Amino acid sequence: MSAKKTALTVLSAALPALLVPALLASPVYAAPTPTPPVDGKGQPPKAPAPPASMSTVGGSALGQPGTQVNLLPGAPALPTSLTGRSWIVADAETGEVLASHNAHWRLPPASTMKMLFADTVLPGLPKDQVHKVTDQELDGVGSGSSLVGIKEDGEYSVHDLWLGVFLRSGNDAVHVLSAMNGGVEKTVKDMQAHAEELQALDTHVVSPDGYDAPGQVSSAYDLTLIARSGLQKEDFREYCGTASAKFPGRQEAGKPRETFEIQNTNRLMTGAGGLSPYKGIAGVKNGNTTMAGSTFTGAAQRGDKKLLVTVMNPGTGGANSVYEETADLLDWGFAASGKVKPVGELVPPKSADTTSHGSPAQSHENNPSASGAGSGGGVGTAFGVAGGVLAVVAGGAYAVNRRWPLGRGRRSRGRA
């Protein structure tokens, strides 16, 4: 990491309340990673190629395999060390896609799927509601899942549970919240309906927590679209930008309930794993499973520029690769702003869409699963909020004001 990435600006209490936190978490392992398979010559098999034709939602260039970028004079070159199977760099407010690589390749998303879970379920559950957990609610949590440590018969507020989802990527918290939403099956249907409303049509939901499941896929484009929607919500921004928090532990009669500290697994936020915190990071969510590899969607702000980057399944390096490639793309995006011609756009939800964007969108039900996929500035150092219970990065420093694209035929008249 360069020195500029290591520098953090101490967040002033005078920052506007609209400035919002950021993305979350470092790799979340839903299952142990097996020894990589080898071919007949004892070498790892070649990585699968992306489909020759992909969705063109957001623009025809986004449906083409390979890297898509239109550099204008003076624009910096893209980083040369990128290995992600799929990635995208977008302006969080205008929705312009600055560059992409296999943006619509449908791949397993791992725990980045929790962004869709939160964007779907969070608005319907009051954060001060308290729920007593039953053993049945924890029965469906997959083997090897990341957990926050919820116990049967324990009482937890919705606020506690969302901290468990965002900071520790706890599948146990997801299953309890799903039960409160009417059950896992209903929650999956709700998530699928919300994805289609957002026009995240590469996404097929099988499990609400992102646990590896045959047919569960999304794309860098969709995950970025979902993150952009989530960042409109104050609670979503708060949770994904929380660096650490106290979580309820054991309760003994006549004694105050014990608590223990949980930390966000987003290494660009916390600096864990030998990384330096990324200047301007504001969220959002990471994941790591056997089928998906490492995935990450990150939001960051420098000055008045706010970017979203998603990287899926880097082909080299260790646990830090997805963060390092995200940081490199964020650096490039900030440097390239105003010096590239967008290759596409993040489309608005169907309910807000009054223009045509790309070719007609196809539902995932009429499209096969991912080709080659396995089955299945703005901020500073953390500071205390809510009586020291939460340590929030960027405490309200990343409010995304979406300006829906007007469509290619109306660009000359300016933006709404």
Side-chain angles (χ1 to χ4, degrees):
M1 291 278 179
S2 65
K4 66 178 181 177
K5 290 181 186 173
T6 65
L8 280 179
T9 304
V10 176
L11 190 63
S12 168
L15 277 178
L18 283 180
L19 286 183
V20 170
L23 256 57
L24 324 146
S26 72
V28 172
Y29 292 87
T33 304
T35 302
V38 295
D39 62 16
K41 299 180 180 180
Q43 299 296 320
K46 291 182 179 180
S53 178
M54 294 172 280
S55 167
T56 56
V57 173
S60 59
L62 300 181
Q64 299 300 311
T67 300
Q68 310 299 319
V69 64
N70 292 321
L71 300 176
L72 300 177
L78 281 164
T80 59
S81 58
L82 301 175
T83 66
R85 287 190 184 181
S86 175
W87 53 258
I88 190 170
V89 184
D91 187 302
E93 293 201 324
T94 67
E96 293 176 338
V97 176
L98 307 185
S100 69
H101 181 77
N102 302 325
H104 280 290
W105 193 356
R106 303 179 74 209
L107 298 165
S111 285
T112 49
M113 182 67 82
K114 289 182 173 75
M115 293 189 297
L116 178 60
F117 171 72
D119 196 40
T120 303
V121 175
L122 192 154
L125 297 175
K127 64 194 307 182
D128 59 352
Q129 181 179 343
V130 176
H131 179 77
K132 186 173 183 178
V133 176
T134 68
D135 55 354
Q136 291 88 350
E137 292 167 353
L138 300 176
D139 281 347
V141 177
S143 174
S145 286
S146 51
L147 306 172
V148 67
I150 291 172
K151 304 300 182 184
E152 298 170 12
D153 298 324
E155 292 187 346
Y156 301 87
S157 69
V158 168
H159 177 72
D160 294 331
L161 294 170
W162 283 119
L163 288 172
V165 171
F166 278 95
L167 273 67
R168 297 305 307 167
S169 204
N171 289 5
D172 47 357
V174 170
H175 278 254
V176 174
L177 287 164
S178 295
M180 296 176 70
N181 185 58
V184 168
E185 184 177 352
K186 176 183 179 296
T187 299
V188 166
K189 290 180 180 178
D190 290 347
M191 291 169 64
Q192 191 66 63
H194 187 52
E196 293 177 4
E197 157 62 15
L198 293 178
Q199 301 204 64
L201 303 183
D202 298 324
T203 299
H204 183 199
V205 185
V206 178
S207 65
D209 49 23
Y211 190 84
D212 284 338
Q216 178 148 274
V217 291
S218 190
S219 66
Y221 182 89
D222 280 15
L223 293 173
T224 306
L225 207 64
I226 292 163
R228 191 183 185 210
S229 176
L231 289 168
Q232 311 308 304
K233 299 172 177 63
E234 182 178 0
D235 287 347
F236 186 105
R237 297 193 304 262
E238 174 192 337
Y239 293 128
C240 80
T242 299
S244 63
K246 298 295 185 182
F247 195 80
R250 291 189 305 171
Q251 175 71 69
E252 295 185 17
K255 296 182 180 180
R257 189 170 186 179
E258 295 180 2
T259 63
F260 58 93
E261 185 173 289
I262 56 174
Q263 291 188 330
N264 201 314
T265 53
N266 176 355
R267 295 187 180 188
L268 289 186
M269 177 181 294
T270 64
L275 292 177
S276 297
Y278 187 84
K279 181 179 180 180
I281 192 69
V284 143
K285 188 70 186 78
N286 70 300
N288 190 309
T289 66
T290 301
M291 293 179 183
S294 296
T295 59
F296 182 64
T297 298
Q301 178 176 353
R302 295 221 182 137
D304 61 357
K305 183 61 62 176
K306 301 169 185 178
L307 297 180
L308 282 164
V309 168
T310 296
V311 175
M312 301 186 77
N313 200 351
T316 62
N320 286 337
S321 293
V322 74
Y323 301 106
E324 292 169 342
E325 295 192 18
T326 297
D328 287 344
L329 285 169
L330 285 168
D331 278 352
W332 175 85
F334 287 121
S337 179
K339 301 175 184 177
V340 296
K341 180 180 178 181
V343 296
E345 59 198 8
L346 301 177
V347 297
K350 288 180 179 179
S351 58
D353 189 9
T354 58
T355 60
S356 175
H357 302 269
S359 63
Q362 293 185 346
S363 169
H364 66 280
E365 301 300 345
N366 300 317
N367 199 6
S369 294
S371 172
S375 59
V379 299
T381 54
F383 68 101
V385 196
V389 174
L390 305 180
V392 178
V393 172
Y398 194 92
V400 174
N401 300 306
R402 285 187 295 197
R403 288 170 275 170
W404 298 131
L406 294 179
R408 295 169 183 77
R410 298 170 60 194
R411 286 290 172 81
S412 61
R413 289 185 258 173
R415 294 190 177 279

